[in-house]
Amino acid sequence: MKNLTLVLTILAVIAAACTNNKPKEKTVEKAAEVQKTQAYLGLKDGGEWKWVTKNNGNEQWEYKGGEFHPVAELKVDEKHTDHSFDIQFEGPGWESDKVGYRIYLDWRNAIDIFGKKTDSLVLHKVGLDGFDSYHEVSDWGVDVLKVGSSLGMGSVAFWDGEKAIRVEKTDSLYSEVQSGADKSKVTVNYYGWEINDTKTTLQSTLEIEAGSYLTKYTHKLSEALPNLASGIVKHDAAEVQVFTDIKEGWTCLATYGVQTLQEDKLGMCVFVKTDQLLEVTEDKYSDVVVMKPVNYELTYYFGAAWEQDASAVTSMEEFKALLIKQAKYIQ
């Protein structure tokens, strides 16, 4: 019996030794997902509204003091207008690792471009001084486009037969942002848009994916309109082309040339569904595409590539070649 016990003890010791000598299983830790897109909305608090006279003589409300903080949603203050300085860079922004955009949350409701010289996300750091320092070239890039009275880059509008009218007269505005590693979204609701003898609510979403220069722009109307329009700001030095051979079923209005605030080269484009395209036209400020909503809805895409960004495009031919590659983001 003692011998059996001894044998069992020896076997147990050997088994334990073998177990201890086994190589330990490696713990595989999933790498943190790299953030390649962002939707951002910054709002000031800690200051106060004051009635001021601007340098141009205009009198308006302006937000003085305080600091910007990120918010997920915002009902725009009735006192807000252009250059009120209560909203960081005047509205929500969205970006990929390639390009950034913003939309003004005021009577202009137009889209602007942030050219990027980095693949890092930067919008949360842009315009924190409360002014428009982003018009000065920085390590990350710069605001490259002057929008003025135009459609800027792909802004939504109504075509009255002679000109494009942006979403100017509304009862109120609401916006929210959603950020994801590979896809981010901005929503803007325009309540009570007065246009074409109609009052409608327009819900718009702007979506961007990692690796994309393009933004998907979707609109839903509460009341029917005979058309919605979009387009690109005019520049005398820019070449204008209409392409139908980039993406099947889609027509592309494209411009390329010296058309930035910094007087360097930029390509801009709008992709519309060919079967919803009513006409390609122009007004004083913009090259325009006019489209027909279907079941109160419309989707189109717009995008830009700057010669100083990762695309390094320097001609319309190179811009078109880039768009052919980017067409995979159009669904």
Side-chain angles (χ1 to χ4, degrees), residues 254-265:
T255 69
Y256 189 87
V258 177
Q259 47 185 348
T260 71
L261 287 164
Q262 296 72 35
E263 297 189 356
D264 52 11
K265 294 177 181 177

Side-chain angles (χ1 to χ4, degrees), residues 195-245:
I195 193 72
N196 196 45
D197 297 323
T198 302
K199 202 165 188 178
T200 184
T201 291
L202 174 67
Q203 182 185 67
S204 300
T205 59
L206 302 120
E207 300 172 87
I208 197 164
E209 295 185 55
S212 179
Y213 289 88
L214 301 176
T215 291
K216 180 181 181 180
Y217 206 2
T218 302
H219 305 281
K220 297 181 180 180
L221 295 158
S222 66
E223 303 295 330
L225 289 175
N227 73 69
L228 286 173
S230 185
I232 302 170
V233 56
K234 276 184 177 179
H235 286 93
D236 293 338
E239 178 183 355
V240 182
Q241 294 277 358
V242 176
F243 299 115
T244 57
D245 58 347

Side-chain angles (χ1 to χ4, degrees), residues 94-147:
W94 60 102
E95 64 179 317
S96 69
D97 47 336
K98 304 298 183 183
V99 66
Y101 302 97
R102 63 168 169 156
I103 186 167
Y104 305 124
L105 285 182
D106 53 60
W107 61 273
R108 295 169 296 174
N109 284 305
I111 295 169
D112 199 357
I113 305 165
F114 288 125
K116 292 177 61 174
K117 297 193 290 183
T118 175
D119 60 2
S120 300
L121 301 181
V122 300
L123 290 185
H124 55 289
K125 299 182 288 185
V126 171
L128 287 173
D129 60 357
F131 298 97
D132 51 5
S133 58
Y134 40 80
H135 288 137
E136 300 171 6
V137 180
S138 302
D139 290 342
W140 64 265
V142 68
D143 178 346
V144 297
L145 193 66
K146 181 174 177 58
V147 172

Side-chain angles (χ1 to χ4, degrees), residues 32-275:
E33 206 168 8
V34 177
Q35 190 86 12
K36 292 185 178 179
T37 71
Q38 177 179 211
Y40 182 83
L41 182 57
L43 182 68
K44 257 190 182 182
D45 61 18
E48 60 181 335
W49 287 99
K50 290 192 175 181
W51 187 254
V52 301
T53 301
K54 294 285 193 178
N55 292 335
N56 61 7
N58 289 346
E59 293 184 326
Q60 66 175 74
W61 289 103
E62 185 177 303
Y63 198 86
K64 298 281 192 177
E67 294 182 348
F68 287 114
H69 299 283
V71 295
E73 59 182 345
L74 170 66
K75 184 180 186 301
V76 178
D77 195 296
E78 292 181 356
K79 296 185 288 296
H80 174 79
T81 187
D82 59 294
H83 301 92
S84 290
F85 303 123
D86 56 316
I87 301 175
Q88 195 171 333
F89 49 79
E90 302 197 86
W94 60 102
E95 64 179 317
S96 69
D97 47 336
K98 304 298 183 183
V99 66
Y101 302 97
R102 63 168 169 156
I103 186 167
Y104 305 124
L105 285 182
D106 53 60
W107 61 273
R108 295 169 296 174
N109 284 305
I111 295 169
D112 199 357
I113 305 165
F114 288 125
K116 292 177 61 174
K117 297 193 290 183
T118 175
D119 60 2
S120 300
L121 301 181
V122 300
L123 290 185
H124 55 289
K125 299 182 288 185
V126 171
L128 287 173
D129 60 357
F131 298 97
D132 51 5
S133 58
Y134 40 80
H135 288 137
E136 300 171 6
V137 180
S138 302
D139 290 342
W140 64 265
V142 68
D143 178 346
V144 297
L145 193 66
K146 181 174 177 58
V147 172
S149 299
S150 77
L151 293 174
M153 175 68 278
S155 309
V156 67
F158 176 80
W159 181 253
D160 73 353
E162 296 181 352
K163 62 185 179 300
I165 304 173
R166 300 178 303 200
V167 188
E168 298 174 353
K169 296 180 180 180
T170 61
D171 293 337
S172 62
L173 298 180
Y174 167 86
S175 182
E176 65 179 41
V177 293
Q178 295 174 287
S179 287
D182 294 316
K183 187 175 183 178
S184 293
K185 179 170 73 171
V186 171
T187 299
V188 183
N189 291 348
Y190 303 93
Y191 296 104
W193 177 24
E194 295 182 32
I195 193 72
N196 196 45
D197 297 323
T198 302
K199 202 165 188 178
T200 184
T201 291
L202 174 67
Q203 182 185 67
S204 300
T205 59
L206 302 120
E207 300 172 87
I208 197 164
E209 295 185 55
S212 179
Y213 289 88
L214 301 176
T215 291
K216 180 181 181 180
Y217 206 2
T218 302
H219 305 281
K220 297 181 180 180
L221 295 158
S222 66
E223 303 295 330
L225 289 175
N227 73 69
L228 286 173
S230 185
I232 302 170
V233 56
K234 276 184 177 179
H235 286 93
D236 293 338
E239 178 183 355
V240 182
Q241 294 277 358
V242 176
F243 299 115
T244 57
D245 58 347
I246 293 179
K247 177 81 172 183
E248 185 177 357
W250 292 79
T251 298
C252 175
L253 170 67
T255 69
Y256 189 87
V258 177
Q259 47 185 348
T260 71
L261 287 164
Q262 296 72 35
E263 297 189 356
D264 52 11
K265 294 177 181 177
L266 177 73
M268 292 183 278
C269 68
V270 179
F271 281 90
V272 306
K273 292 181 180 179
T274 303
D275 61 4

Side-chain angles (χ1 to χ4, degrees), residues 299-311:
T299 295
Y300 61 89
Y301 291 75
F302 64 81
W306 179 38
E307 69 172 323
Q308 293 192 50
D309 67 24
S311 70

